[in-house]
Amino acid sequence: MYLKRAFGLISRNLILIIPTLAIWFISLFISDMQVQNMSGFNMVIDPDAAIEMMGDIIGSMALYGFVMAIIILLIQAGQAGMMKQALLNGQAGFSSFMQGIRRYFWRFVGQSLLIVAMVIAVTVVISIILVALLAGSAFANLVNDPTAVEQAANMGIGGTVAIVVIFIGVFIGIIFLALWQPAMVIDDVGVFEGLRRGAKAVSHHFWSLIVVMLLIAAMIIGISWGANYIYAAITGNSIGDISVINYMSVLGVLIISYLSAIITAYLFIVYHNFRPADANLQPIEDNEQNPPQPFDLPPDDEQ
């Protein structure tokens, strides 16, 4: 089972958890800073001062978001290099982290830009549907015509169905993007070719990917929320009054980092097993004296 192999790969290479751990701790630190920045907003009485403070908060959030995005891409590219080396050699090292950044960072940037474009396109379509629904409802109420009201109701039903279909399509699309990065890294190909190969590999393991990704995502969300609620219960405070950084949230980050590394390893193992037969597998480090040995994976028909 691929999930079991992912646990084994991470257990033998605990260094693979460090990049994910860094991402989560940086996110926790930035979240704490944002909470502190917004803590005094409710106490501001002067409207002009409130507007100025809100502008500063939005500006800092945009800056932190941009910096965080760059850091995440750098760490992900480095971790991808380590993950590839672990698959090929059975053991990952820090040198492959730097190799991964040099080789895959700009591909990950290109992938991120394409994902942003996809999100914008979906958002625009949904916004157009919502605006049409609101305009139709407002027009029906304005003219007070039973026929117009009925047409607006039918439009509302159709629009709701369309939005539901879009969300289902987005969910399926996310699953087909799951092996995008592993394809780019393992086969050392570009963004568009990685997308094509990753989507092709997903079709071989679609339902298993859904189950595993939903399971681990539910565990991560549950631990993230549960850690703070447990801390609030222990300290006797409300969830809104506790610090973002506390010993329970730190413990939660440790567990979440391990699970995040597991799901990353799982996706790499799945693609490595179902990668196209004509793919050109290249090691993360060119070393002719110590050629990498393939990681022991199950045959293509094993589930």
Side-chain angles (χ1 to χ4, degrees), residues 19 23 71-81 97 108 111 181:
I23 290 175
I71 292 174
I72 288 176
L73 289 173
L74 286 168
I75 294 176
Q76 283 184 342
Q79 186 188 41
F97 181 85
F108 282 21
Q111 180 201 34
Q181 285 189 1

Side-chain angles (χ1 to χ4, degrees), residues 76-85 87-88 96 99-101 103-105 107-108 111 179-191 193-195 197 264 268 271-272 275 280-284:
Q76 283 184 342
Q79 186 188 41
M82 296 171 68
M83 198 70 68
K84 180 174 181 178
Q85 187 187 55
L87 280 173
L88 297 180
S96 59
Q99 287 276 353
I101 291 178
R103 184 169 294 183
Y104 307 121
F105 172 71
R107 301 182 206 184
F108 282 21
Q111 180 201 34
L179 300 181
W180 192 352
Q181 285 189 1
M184 285 193 297
V185 173
I186 293 177
D187 293 342
D188 201 7
V189 295
V191 176
E193 180 64 16
L195 175 60
R197 295 190 183 195
T264 302
F268 269 73
Y271 180 77
H272 187 273
R275 52 195 292 272
N280 183 23
L281 183 60
Q282 297 292 337
I284 184 64

Side-chain angles (χ1 to χ4, degrees), residues 78-302:
Q79 186 188 41
M82 296 171 68
M83 198 70 68
K84 180 174 181 178
Q85 187 187 55
L87 280 173
L88 297 180
N89 298 346
Q91 187 175 6
F94 183 73
S95 61
S96 59
F97 181 85
M98 302 307 299
Q99 287 276 353
I101 291 178
R102 287 194 293 267
R103 184 169 294 183
Y104 307 121
F105 172 71
W106 290 110
R107 301 182 206 184
F108 282 21
V109 170
Q111 180 201 34
S112 299
L113 293 176
L114 281 178
I115 291 176
V116 169
M118 295 175 189
V119 171
I120 292 175
V122 172
T123 303
V124 168
V125 172
I126 293 177
S127 299
I128 292 174
I129 294 175
L130 291 176
V131 169
L133 294 179
L134 292 175
S137 178
F139 177 76
N141 293 331
L142 181 64
V143 300
N144 197 21
D145 183 359
T147 303
V149 172
E150 183 178 357
Q151 291 177 349
N154 293 333
M155 184 183 296
I157 295 174
T160 302
V161 172
I163 292 176
V164 171
V165 171
I166 290 174
F167 275 110
I168 293 175
V170 168
F171 175 76
I172 295 175
I174 291 174
I175 300 300
F176 273 94
L177 298 181
L179 300 181
W180 192 352
Q181 285 189 1
M184 285 193 297
V185 173
I186 293 177
D187 293 342
D188 201 7
V189 295
V191 176
F192 292 102
E193 180 64 16
L195 175 60
R196 185 187 70 81
R197 295 190 183 195
K200 183 178 180 180
V202 167
S203 63
H204 290 275
H205 221 67
F206 182 77
W207 294 109
S208 296
L209 281 168
I210 288 181
V211 171
V212 171
M213 291 177 67
L214 287 179
L215 175 63
I216 295 185
M219 293 173 64
I220 289 175
I221 293 173
I223 293 171
S224 178
W225 282 87
N228 286 323
Y229 276 105
I230 292 173
Y231 181 78
I234 293 174
T235 58
N237 297 318
S238 65
I239 190 68
D241 295 331
I242 65 174
S243 173
V244 174
I245 300 178
N246 55 72
Y247 61 84
M248 285 303 300
S249 66
V250 171
L251 177 61
V253 164
L254 292 174
I255 299 173
I256 289 171
S257 298
Y258 180 74
L259 293 175
S260 299
I262 292 295
I263 188 62
T264 302
Y266 172 79
L267 295 176
F268 269 73
I269 290 173
V270 168
Y271 180 77
H272 187 273
N273 188 73
F274 286 102
R275 52 195 292 272
D278 60 344
N280 183 23
L281 183 60
Q282 297 292 337
I284 184 64
E285 293 180 314
D286 296 324
N287 192 336
E288 296 180 357
Q289 295 181 350
N290 296 299
Q293 298 299 318
F295 186 74
D296 184 19
L297 292 171
D300 289 353
D301 57 350
E302 182 177 334

